[in-house]
Amino acid sequence: MTHLIPLHKLPSAPDLARVMAREVFRLHGIPRNIVSDRGPQFISRFWSEFCTLLGIDVSLSSGFHPQTDGQTERINQEVESKLRILCMDAPSRWSQNLPWVEYAINGLPSSSTGLSPFHVVYGYQPPILSVQEGATQVPAAHLAARRCLRVWRRARATLCKTSAVYARNANRHRSQAPRYLVGQRVWLSTRDLPIKVHPTFHVSKIKPLMSSRFCPPARPPPPPRLIDGAPAFTVRRLLRSRRWGRGIQYLVDWKGYGPEERSWVPSRLVLDKDLVRKFHRQHPDQPRGASRM
């Protein structure tokens, strides 16, 4: 459901908290989650702490991808275009038209559900706005009612006309996202990529990694073997040694795993002592423990 609230200026985080309590929370209750862009109000410590204290999860849209909060972005475009049409004759009176634009948006059935936002929230469809014609005792009241009807009709007509155009144009450039699996390797688009990278990316920013002679297909790592009931992995080679506390550790290159999986392992966990002897013969300068082999 859409709520359009006129403000004199861009609100600060405390102002935003007051507006949300007055215009949203009192009507719909405390939300479980709020999705927003990364405006200064929404990334402030005040807003984060305010939401945390009320038990609200905060979800920020992905950088350079406003479609993350697609509903809001679409409604913003619709409201802007409707107000531009409705306020063409009197731009300074745009805020007076907001209630009827909101009424038109919330009363228009959705193509996905067949129900209007108003119907989903309240359980019934709002009545069609009309003005009873006939003799009136107060001409000013009649003019005000006619003005409301005119604004509502123009807003609704424009909504019906442009909603189909927006959907058609948006779907023209969309394709079904591939189905990704946990652990699957992908390409990440570096467009708009900042120096500090967030660990979450929108699906439109990645593509599945296809095999080629430059990039062979990823094979699953070999499972561990069981030796005396404990998992054991095969060592390809020992790369270096170092003193660690009272003992020695070896930098192990594991068979079937990439360089990113190399790790330091205590000497007592290297089961193949021939590998240790071979390593020190080839690298006599590397630290070694007491000879007990």
Side-chain angles (χ1 to χ4, degrees):
M1 197 170 194
T2 299
H3 293 296
L4 304 179
I5 304 158
L7 299 173
H8 294 289
K9 61 179 181 178
L10 193 67
S12 63
D15 292 337
L16 177 65
R18 287 190 288 269
V19 169
M20 291 293 290
R22 184 178 67 247
E23 303 291 347
V24 179
F25 297 170
R26 72 178 178 87
L27 298 175
H28 304 287
I30 303 297
R32 296 178 180 177
N33 181 272
I34 293 180
V35 181
S36 69
D37 60 19
R38 294 177 179 270
Q41 310 92 337
F42 299 111
I43 63 175
S44 68
R45 294 181 61 184
F46 179 94
W47 179 251
S48 176
E49 187 71 12
F50 174 76
C51 291
T52 299
L53 292 173
L54 293 181
I56 304 171
D57 293 330
V58 174
S59 299
L60 299 177
S61 59
S62 302
F64 306 104
H65 195 272
Q67 293 91 330
T68 303
D69 191 10
Q71 277 189 319
T72 302
E73 294 297 328
R74 181 177 59 81
I75 292 297
N76 284 345
Q77 294 176 5
E78 289 186 353
V79 171
E80 184 178 351
S81 62
K82 307 312 170 287
L83 286 178
R84 187 180 296 112
I85 295 173
L86 296 173
C87 303
M88 194 174 300
D89 299 330
S92 62
R93 298 175 59 184
W94 64 270
S95 60
Q96 299 179 23
N97 292 323
L98 281 184
W100 302 110
V101 174
E102 178 179 319
Y103 190 88
I105 291 175
N106 290 330
L108 193 67
S110 167
S111 59
S112 58
T113 64
L115 300 175
S116 68
F118 193 102
H119 196 165
V120 171
V121 173
Y122 295 114
Y124 64 94
Q125 183 66 10
I128 297 296
L129 194 62
S130 62
V131 174
Q132 304 301 319
E133 299 295 342
T136 176
Q137 302 298 322
V138 184
H142 184 263
L143 289 176
R146 293 290 301 176
R147 188 182 304 113
C148 292
L149 178 62
R150 183 172 62 254
V151 172
W152 175 80
R153 281 179 173 174
R154 291 178 64 185
R156 183 180 175 87
T158 310
L159 277 170
C160 294
K161 179 180 179 181
T162 57
S163 294
V165 176
Y166 284 149
R168 185 167 60 251
N169 291 338
N171 293 332
R172 186 182 304 167
H173 303 286
R174 287 180 180 149
S175 59
Q176 188 69 25
R179 185 180 182 86
Y180 292 101
L181 303 176
V182 176
Q184 179 180 351
R185 295 197 295 174
V186 297
W187 292 111
L188 171 64
S189 171
T190 57
R191 181 182 179 183
D192 303 322
L193 194 65
I195 296 176
K196 187 176 180 180
V197 180
H198 192 271
T200 303
F201 303 96
H202 190 268
V203 69
S204 66
K205 298 297 182 182
I206 61 175
K207 289 184 178 181
L209 179 62
M210 303 300 181
S211 61
S212 68
R213 64 189 184 94
F214 301 106
C215 185
R219 297 178 180 178
R225 296 174 296 159
L226 290 179
I227 299 180
D228 295 333
F233 295 85
T234 304
V235 177
R236 179 188 290 120
R237 57 176 177 158
L238 303 180
L239 301 174
R240 288 193 303 170
S241 66
R242 68 180 182 183
R243 298 192 184 278
W244 192 261
R246 297 184 179 181
I248 294 292
Q249 289 185 339
Y250 293 95
L251 182 60
V252 176
D253 184 21
W254 304 100
K255 186 175 182 179
Y257 292 81
E260 70 279 359
E261 298 293 338
R262 293 171 180 171
S263 57
W264 290 96
V265 175
S267 59
R268 59 183 174 81
L269 296 182
V270 181
L271 304 181
D272 190 349
K273 301 306 179 183
D274 288 337
L275 281 175
V276 175
R277 287 190 286 267
K278 181 181 178 180
F279 169 77
H280 285 293
R281 285 197 301 267
Q282 295 176 345
H283 305 281
D285 59 323
Q286 291 289 305
R288 61 188 303 165
S291 178
R292 292 181 296 178
M293 298 177 287

